[in-house]
């Protein structure tokens, strides 16, 4: 309702009506949240016993209330079942991180990879400003879990407040040398069991998330912001691109389709609509194709080179209490890799 109110720009009366509806429902939502919190607290208080009232409090404070993740066997797509922990972890990583090597390349793939190796001739963009870095750091959600280094967004914000120039220079050093630090390209995979699929034995039971270091997310943000500014300032975005585009939504796409259909009907024509739902579209994002699109869009040289470093030597690892498996990442969008998602919206991938 908030989005609908904010995107109503032409009709002031309708905008005001939707604003009032949004505020009214927001108050109901907040009241429901407060009620749920109070009820949860009451249930928590009732869980203690009269003989040992501090039992649950003690376990909660010492972290002993956390449940350890225990993996069972996993059923492969071919119907076979894994036989051990190491095999289960490997199958999970293969599913979470599909490979895309040069072995299966066709002529188009080979040509694209070869073109990406030639030097770019576009001019470099200006260095990142202190304001850009500050805005990116303070835009990070403090409630988000940190990456492998354990540095939260709050820690990074405090570090920036103490050393704003040094922090900015650190990111400009990455831009100047076209180096996305390797430690910032390690993703920690965490499998979350979907509700209602606890007893399922195939890979569909897991919702995978990836945790990257917060410092890496800041560099991603400023890099994406610069690239998107270059795209929009030169009017390079296709007018029919609605996904991941500011001030647009699925409503705009539906209205554009409606206008097209109505116009065709008025002209006495027939209209056929084909809807495609591509499973795992971003998981199959082909990185060389994204870099090729950046070349076609005349992306500034230093931004393009930093993107090349971003897509190179990425790794992901999955850990459990009694094992760890690591795997190279060569394609796709995996949660925190917003660059592949946002740039991928105007990249045609041959896979």
């Amino acid at each position: 309702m908030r989005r609908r109110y904010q995107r109503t720009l032409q009709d002031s009366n309708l905008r005001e009506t939707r604003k009032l509806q949004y505020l009214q429902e927001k108050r109901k939502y907040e009241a429901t949240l407060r009620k749920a919190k109070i009820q949860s607290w009451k249930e928590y208080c009732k869980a203690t016993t009269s003989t040992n009232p501090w039992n649950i409090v003690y376990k909660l404070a010492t972290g002993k209330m956390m449940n350890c993740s225990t993996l069972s066997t996993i059923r492969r797509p071919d119907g076979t079942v894994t036989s051990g922990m190491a095999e289960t972890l490997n199958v999970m990583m293969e599913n979470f991180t599909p490979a895309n090597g040069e072995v299966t390349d066709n002529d188009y793939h080979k040509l694209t990879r070869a073109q990406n190796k030639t030097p770019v001739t576009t001019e470099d963009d200006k260095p990142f400003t202190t304001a850009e870095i500050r805005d990116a750091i303070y835009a990070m959600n403090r409630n988000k879990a940190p990456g492998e280094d354990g540095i939260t967004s709050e820690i990074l914000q405090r570090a920036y407040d103490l050393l704003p120039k040094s922090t900015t220079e650190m990111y400009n050093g990455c831009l100047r040398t076209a180096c996305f630090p390797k430690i910032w390209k390690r993703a920690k995979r965490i499998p979350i069991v979907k509700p209602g699929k606890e007893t399922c034995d195939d890979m569909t039971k897991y919702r995978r998330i990836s945790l990257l270091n917060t410092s890496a997310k800041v560099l991603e943000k400023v890099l994406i912001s610069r690239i998107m500014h270059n795209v929009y300032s030169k009017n390079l975005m296709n007018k029919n691109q609605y996904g991941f585009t500011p001030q647009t939504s699925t409503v705009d796409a539906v209205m554009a389709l409606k206008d097209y259909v109505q116009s065709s009907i008025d002209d006495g024509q027939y209209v056929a609509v084909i809807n495609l739902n591509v499973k795992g579209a971003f998981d199959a994002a082909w990185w060389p194709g994204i870099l090729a699109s950046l070349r076609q869009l005349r992306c500034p040289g230093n931004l393009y080179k930093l993107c090349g470093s971003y897509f190179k030597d990425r790794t992901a690892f999955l850990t459990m209490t009694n094992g760890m498996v690591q795997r190279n990442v060569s394609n796709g969008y995996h949660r925190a890799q917003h660059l592949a998602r946002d740039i991928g919206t105007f990249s045609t991938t041959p896979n």
Side-chain angles (χ1 to χ4, degrees):
M1 298 189 75
R2 178 173 63 87
R3 289 197 298 268
R4 187 174 65 171
Y5 144 64
Q6 290 177 336
R7 289 169 177 165
T8 304
L9 304 177
Q10 306 298 330
D11 191 330
S12 58
N13 293 329
L14 181 58
R15 179 181 174 86
E16 185 63 25
T17 300
R18 289 181 172 178
K19 178 181 179 181
L20 294 176
Q21 291 175 346
Y22 156 62
L23 294 176
Q24 181 180 2
E25 293 301 320
K26 181 184 177 183
R27 285 191 290 269
K28 292 181 181 179
Y29 178 66
E30 292 173 344
T32 305
L33 282 180
R34 287 193 296 269
K35 183 178 179 180
K37 289 180 180 179
I38 294 173
Q39 182 63 28
S40 176
W41 173 248
K42 289 181 178 180
E43 292 176 358
Y44 168 76
C45 292
K46 292 178 181 178
T48 60
T49 62
S50 58
T51 57
N52 189 4
W54 299 107
N55 185 37
I56 291 183
V57 176
Y58 173 76
K59 288 184 177 180
L60 184 64
T62 56
K64 294 181 180 179
M65 291 289 289
M66 298 177 62
N67 295 324
C68 295
S69 299
T70 303
L71 281 178
S72 59
T73 56
I74 295 295
R75 187 174 301 277
R76 298 187 183 90
D78 61 4
T80 60
V81 179
T82 58
S83 58
M85 178 61 66
E87 188 177 0
T88 298
L89 289 176
N90 278 297
V91 171
M92 291 178 67
M93 280 300 292
E94 289 175 4
N95 182 269
F96 292 165
T97 312
N100 187 356
E102 299 183 25
V103 179
T104 58
D105 280 358
N106 57 27
D107 292 340
Y108 176 84
H109 295 147
K110 295 177 181 178
L111 178 61
T112 302
R113 291 184 192 272
Q115 290 175 344
N116 289 340
K117 294 179 181 179
T118 60
V120 292
T121 58
T122 52
E123 295 182 359
D124 289 346
D125 203 357
K126 62 182 181 180
F128 300 129
T129 64
T130 304
E132 283 180 285
I133 302 301
R134 181 193 64 235
D135 292 343
I137 291 177
Y138 273 88
M140 304 300 297
N141 190 339
R142 289 194 174 194
N143 296 323
K144 292 289 186 179
E148 185 182 16
D149 61 6
I151 297 178
T152 64
S153 57
E154 183 177 3
I155 295 175
L156 195 59
Q157 289 170 9
R158 295 194 179 190
Y160 173 83
D161 291 338
L162 293 172
L163 302 167
K165 292 184 179 179
S166 298
T167 306
T168 304
E169 178 55 31
M170 175 181 70
Y171 287 109
N172 276 323
C174 296
L175 178 63
R176 184 172 55 254
T177 60
C179 175
F180 203 102
K182 194 171 183 178
I183 192 64
W184 288 358
K185 294 188 283 188
R186 279 175 56 83
K188 181 179 181 180
R189 293 277 193 269
I190 299 180
I192 305 295
V193 179
K194 299 177 182 178
K197 290 196 173 185
E198 290 81 5
T199 59
C200 182
D201 63 353
D202 60 34
M203 292 304 303
T204 59
K205 69 183 291 185
Y206 292 112
R207 176 181 293 109
R208 60 189 185 274
I209 65 173
S210 297
L211 299 180
L212 288 180
N213 292 339
T214 307
S215 303
K217 295 179 183 178
V218 173
L219 185 54
E220 283 182 358
K221 278 182 174 291
V222 291
L223 178 58
I224 291 171
S225 179
R226 283 293 186 88
I227 292 176
M228 300 310 287
H229 173 74
N230 179 70
V231 171
Y232 286 113
S233 63
K234 297 179 181 179
N235 197 27
L236 299 174
M237 185 65 77
N238 191 301
K239 65 178 182 178
N240 293 321
Q241 173 65 46
Y242 295 97
F244 309 108
T245 304
Q247 304 300 319
T248 63
S249 67
T250 52
V251 175
D252 298 294
V254 171
M255 292 303 297
L257 175 62
K258 172 184 173 295
D259 293 340
Y260 178 82
V261 171
Q262 187 62 55
S263 175
S264 300
I265 293 176
D266 293 341
D267 293 340
Q269 299 177 349
Y270 292 97
V271 179
V273 178
I274 300 176
N275 177 49
L276 298 179
N277 184 10
V278 183
K279 180 180 178 181
F282 288 122
D283 288 343
W286 193 51
W287 294 350
I290 295 175
L291 292 174
S293 294
L294 288 175
R295 281 176 171 268
Q296 296 173 2
L297 294 171
R298 303 289 295 170
C299 178
N302 52 355
L303 299 181
Y304 175 85
K305 294 174 184 176
L306 186 55
C307 286
S309 175
Y310 175 89
F311 287 129
K312 185 179 180 182
D313 298 328
R314 301 198 69 89
T315 58
F317 65 95
L318 177 65
T319 59
M320 288 295 166
T321 54
N322 53 353
M324 185 191 84
V325 61
Q326 180 172 299
R327 183 178 171 90
N328 292 330
V329 181
S330 57
N331 70 300
Y333 154 67
H334 302 283
R335 293 291 184 183
Q337 296 176 24
H338 302 295
L339 190 63
R341 181 199 70 185
D342 290 340
I343 297 176
T345 60
F346 51 82
S347 170
T348 302
T349 60
N351 292 38

